[in-house]
Amino acid sequence: MNNVKFYGSEEPRLAAFRRTEGGRIYTVNYGAAKTLGDDGSELWEWKSAELPWLAYPYDGLTYALIVSALVEAEYANDEMWAITNNYLANPSDSDVKAEWDAMQAWRSEAKEIAKAVLEYPAEPA
């Protein structure tokens, strides 16, 4: 789960990459919003999902890989399994249902972000 937030004076790019010996490492930034810093100055706050170069062919990204990276940035694999199993075991429990609904909402949002990333030209970071 990605609890790390990044801050900057400029709005982050939706997608960027950096070159390494093995290829490109893509970063997808999401959840960007303006906030106030400790000194009262206006800042941008966002989270990022990184797609290591080993996860896809050198020549590009796919919708499925972007969605997967975004979902996994918010929900660790064991957390997703726990939420799924809890829901299957007791779908009428309001707390379990709320966790399930939140995860499904994030998956839907991740799909929309992935579509936008594929339309957005990634730039070097």
Side-chain angles (χ1 to χ4, degrees):
M1 185 167 167
N2 182 3
N3 290 317
V4 177
K5 292 184 178 178
F6 298 92
Y7 297 89
S9 58
E10 296 180 14
E11 184 175 10
R13 296 178 199 140
L14 179 59
F17 68 86
R18 67 181 188 276
R19 290 183 175 90
T20 67
E21 281 184 27
R24 293 179 179 182
I25 296 177
Y26 285 84
T27 300
V28 175
N29 298 310
Y30 62 96
K34 287 186 178 180
T35 188
L36 293 177
D38 292 338
D39 62 358
S41 63
E42 195 171 81
L43 294 173
W44 283 92
E45 174 183 84
W46 69 92
K47 291 184 177 182
S48 295
E50 194 168 86
L51 289 80
W53 68 271
L54 289 173
Y56 53 83
Y58 177 78
D59 60 353
L61 299 171
T62 67
Y63 172 80
L65 289 170
I66 298 167
V67 171
S68 180
L70 287 166
V71 171
E72 290 173 7
E74 290 295 317
Y75 292 92
N77 193 40
D78 59 337
E79 186 178 9
M80 284 190 283
W81 276 108
I83 291 169
T84 301
N85 285 331
N86 289 341
Y87 181 74
L88 291 173
N90 195 0
S92 60
D93 181 291
S94 61
D95 291 336
V96 169
K97 177 89 166 78
E99 281 185 323
W100 174 259
D101 290 344
M103 185 175 73
Q104 294 307 316
W106 174 243
R107 289 172 43 81
S108 294
E109 187 174 343
K111 291 174 183 180
E112 293 304 312
I113 294 169
K115 289 175 191 174
V117 167
L118 290 172
E119 294 173 4
Y120 182 90
E123 300 174 15

